[in-house]
Amino acid sequence: MENSQLAKYAKALAHPTRIEILLFLASLESCFFGDIHNELPIAKATVSQHLKELKDAGLIQGEIETPKVRYCINRENWEEARRCFESLFSVIGEKRICCN
Amino acid sequence: MENSQLAKYAKALAHPTRIEILLFLASLESCFFGDIHNELPIAKATVSQHLKELKDAGLIQGEIETPKVRYCINRENWEEARRCFESLFSVIGEKRICCN
DNA sequence: TTCGTTGTTCGCAAAATTACAAACAATATT
DNA sequence: AATATTGTTTGTAATTTTGCGAACAACGAA
């Protein structure tokens, strides 16, 4: 398990707005920047920043459809993230003993 | 799904050192502060801080066994965290369509 | 009482995160 | 060319995170 990779994914998920964005992206086929911005009560610059972080983490991708930008979840990396977390939870979930 | 709760757990996992700590805790029955500190190449003040964050997030618990402090994973909350992430991944993993 | 051991807390500094408005870039449309 | 639309980037400010050494607290042992 790549600790730092997992930490990177966790960091991307460590903000309610970014989770909202991911859930919103998952609920639609069509997902332009403007649609995302409309869902959220924050400035577009901030939305753009959150999208950048999600993109940098690899969880989403965006492609230009001039003059709009279509965003969607990066399924491949999302799967990897899922496996990372699953691995963590299975490693830790299986052990017993200790104090509780 | 509580977005902010999930974000809180994700934040706790958003640092390699904290993941290391969790994995270390999961691998032992006996887990004093000193044992954790020994595993890590960082100052004890920093270790203590990371432990505090994990504790504040509810993922671990610590009890004093004078003069030491025994730490362990909080299984109950850990389970809840697992369910949070599982829910996220299942909500997002199941949708199709979109651009990839 | 005076040490020694074990961790936490405090004070500080550097870096990163979050949020916004304003400026900007790229492309259509008039 | 001038304008409008869509997002990104820049600049700025406030807050949080990360990390450390030093001081501190609690307790047992000498």
Side-chain angles (χ1 to χ4, degrees):
Chain A
M1 179 167 10
E2 310 298 82
N3 269 10
S4 58
Q5 183 59 31
L6 177 51
K8 216 177 65 183
Y9 286 133
K11 200 166 180 176
L13 298 178
H15 195 291
T17 296
R18 290 197 289 270
I19 295 180
E20 257 191 89
I21 289 172
L22 288 168
L23 291 172
F24 182 68
L25 284 181
S27 75
L28 290 179
E29 329 78 52
S30 168
C31 30
F32 294 118
F33 173 90
D35 301 321
I36 300 170
H37 181 211
N38 280 345
E39 282 296 298
L40 302 170
I42 56 180
K44 62 182 178 173
T46 308
V47 175
S48 202
Q49 217 168 233
H50 282 305
L51 288 170
K52 178 167 163 33
E53 281 173 67
L54 288 169
K55 201 165 52 177
D56 288 348
L59 294 179
I60 67 173
Q61 58 196 102
E63 48 189 85
I64 298 171
E65 290 184 16
T66 303
K68 302 188 177 183
V69 178
R70 178 184 298 279
Y71 279 99
C72 61
I73 289 172
N74 183 321
R75 299 286 169 180
E76 195 174 335
N77 292 341
W78 184 257
E79 254 309 298
E80 200 207 276
R82 192 189 59 66
R83 280 194 302 270
C84 280
F85 281 100
E86 204 169 66
S87 164
L88 177 73
F89 281 104
S90 100
V91 165
I92 292 185
E94 255 121 47
K95 304 286 179 177
R96 279 290 108 206
I97 330 176
C98 209
C99 41
N100 57 350
Chain B
M1 178 167 11
E2 308 299 82
N3 269 9
S4 57
Q5 183 59 33
L6 176 51
K8 217 177 65 183
Y9 285 133
K11 200 167 180 176
L13 298 178
H15 195 291
T17 295
R18 291 197 288 272
I19 294 180
E20 256 191 88
I21 289 172
L22 288 167
L23 292 172
F24 182 68
L25 285 180
S27 75
L28 290 179
E29 328 77 52
S30 169
C31 29
F32 295 116
F33 172 91
D35 301 322
I36 300 170
H37 181 211
N38 280 344
E39 281 297 297
L40 302 170
I42 56 180
K44 61 183 177 174
T46 308
V47 174
S48 201
Q49 216 168 237
H50 282 304
L51 288 170
K52 179 167 161 35
E53 281 173 67
L54 287 169
K55 200 165 53 179
D56 289 349
L59 294 179
I60 67 172
Q61 58 196 104
E63 48 189 84
I64 298 172
E65 289 184 19
T66 304
K68 302 189 176 182
V69 178
R70 177 184 300 279
Y71 279 99
C72 61
I73 289 171
N74 183 320
R75 299 286 169 179
E76 195 174 334
N77 291 341
W78 184 257
E79 254 311 296
E80 200 207 279
R82 192 189 59 68
R83 280 194 301 271
C84 280
F85 282 100
E86 204 168 66
S87 163
L88 177 73
F89 281 104
S90 100
V91 165
I92 293 186
E94 254 122 47
K95 304 287 181 178
R96 279 287 107 207
I97 330 177
C98 210
C99 42
N100 57 353

